[in-house]
Amino acid sequence: SLGWRISEEKFMENSFIDNLKLRASYGQTGNHSIPNYGSIGLLSSDRYIFGSGSGEIVNAIVPRSFANSDLGWEKKKQYNFGLDIGILNNRIYSEIDYYISTTKDLLLNVPVPRITGSGIALENRGEVENKGIDLILNTKNFIGNFKWSTSFNISSNKNKVLELGPDGSPIYKGANITQIGSPIGSYFGYVFEGIYNT
């Protein structure tokens, strides 16, 4: 991270601005939220009808999850640009931040054919981008015997899927869809056109 406190420069000596600082930072993190034994194929017990007609119900062992020896952490990199400004002896103080983050190798439960014995498989698949702005505004309205201060903050974030596996096929889960160009886990369904009375 880097910072430049502009308010300490000579050309700002007679300014009404008490604090003015530019900030920039870059970082990389990992998400290791892989369930215990998530890379190992697990089994569970079930019941199975053996034979035709009035077949006998027997105990069975069925696959519960798929083995994935390549399963790894998600990788996230983020850029952040910020501005701090304080005026009137810092009675009005604000922080503005703009960030861009990209996460690769998402840990996603990918649907697989039910004939395999399990409906989903945990894989590192896809890439998603987040962009946003954070704004904080603090004011000291009265600072004497009677004190009154206010604080205001607002945030905006846009999420977009950039990549999904080798063929880019959407991932469906209930009423949610994850597809390229849309936010992750978007809702989808029928479009309501109105009520037809006959």
Side-chain angles (χ1 to χ4, degrees):
S1 62
L2 296 171
W4 177 26
R5 195 175 294 278
I6 304 171
S7 53
E8 293 185 358
E9 301 292 342
K10 286 186 177 180
F11 59 82
M12 295 289 291
E13 286 180 355
N14 298 318
S15 173
F16 68 97
I17 298 176
D18 303 300
N19 181 44
L20 182 61
K21 182 179 180 181
L22 281 174
R23 297 177 281 103
S25 62
Y26 169 77
Q28 282 189 317
T29 57
N31 173 12
H32 67 288
S33 297
I34 301 171
N36 292 335
Y37 316 109
S39 61
I40 301 172
L42 301 178
L43 302 173
S44 63
S45 61
D46 204 346
R47 308 277 280 172
Y48 182 74
I49 299 176
F50 189 74
S52 59
S54 61
E56 179 186 0
I57 298 177
V58 297
N59 293 322
I61 300 294
V62 297
R64 194 177 81 191
S65 63
F66 289 100
N68 184 354
S69 59
D70 295 325
L71 200 62
W73 289 24
E74 292 182 351
K75 301 174 187 70
K76 177 181 177 181
K77 61 181 181 180
Q78 179 167 319
Y79 299 89
N80 189 88
F81 306 95
L83 175 68
D84 302 341
I85 184 168
I87 60 176
L88 303 176
N89 292 323
N90 285 321
R91 288 183 64 177
I92 301 175
Y93 183 82
S94 180
E95 294 180 9
I96 304 169
D97 285 275
Y98 173 74
Y99 62 87
I100 304 172
S101 70
T102 305
T103 306
K104 293 184 176 182
D105 299 329
L106 297 174
L107 288 164
L108 296 176
N109 286 313
V110 179
V112 294
R114 276 286 181 184
I115 196 171
T116 60
S118 177
I120 57 173
L122 184 61
E123 297 180 7
N124 291 107
R125 178 182 289 202
E127 181 177 342
V128 65
E129 177 188 75
N130 284 281
K131 293 181 180 179
I133 295 176
D134 295 322
L135 171 65
I136 298 173
L137 177 63
N138 297 320
T139 62
K140 297 178 182 178
N141 307 312
F142 293 99
I143 58 174
N145 292 330
F146 174 71
K147 291 180 171 55
W148 174 31
S149 62
T150 57
S151 182
F152 172 80
N153 66 76
I154 188 170
S155 298
S156 173
N157 181 73
K158 289 187 177 180
N159 174 273
K160 182 168 71 171
V161 176
L162 304 179
E163 181 185 325
L164 275 180
D167 60 355
S169 299
I171 297 174
Y172 298 91
K173 185 178 181 182
N176 300 95
I177 182 173
T178 298
Q179 61 183 345
I180 295 174
S182 299
I184 194 168
S186 301
Y187 287 104
F188 81 106
Y190 294 106
V191 176
F192 181 70
E193 299 289 352
I195 298 173
Y196 294 90
N197 268 336
T198 55

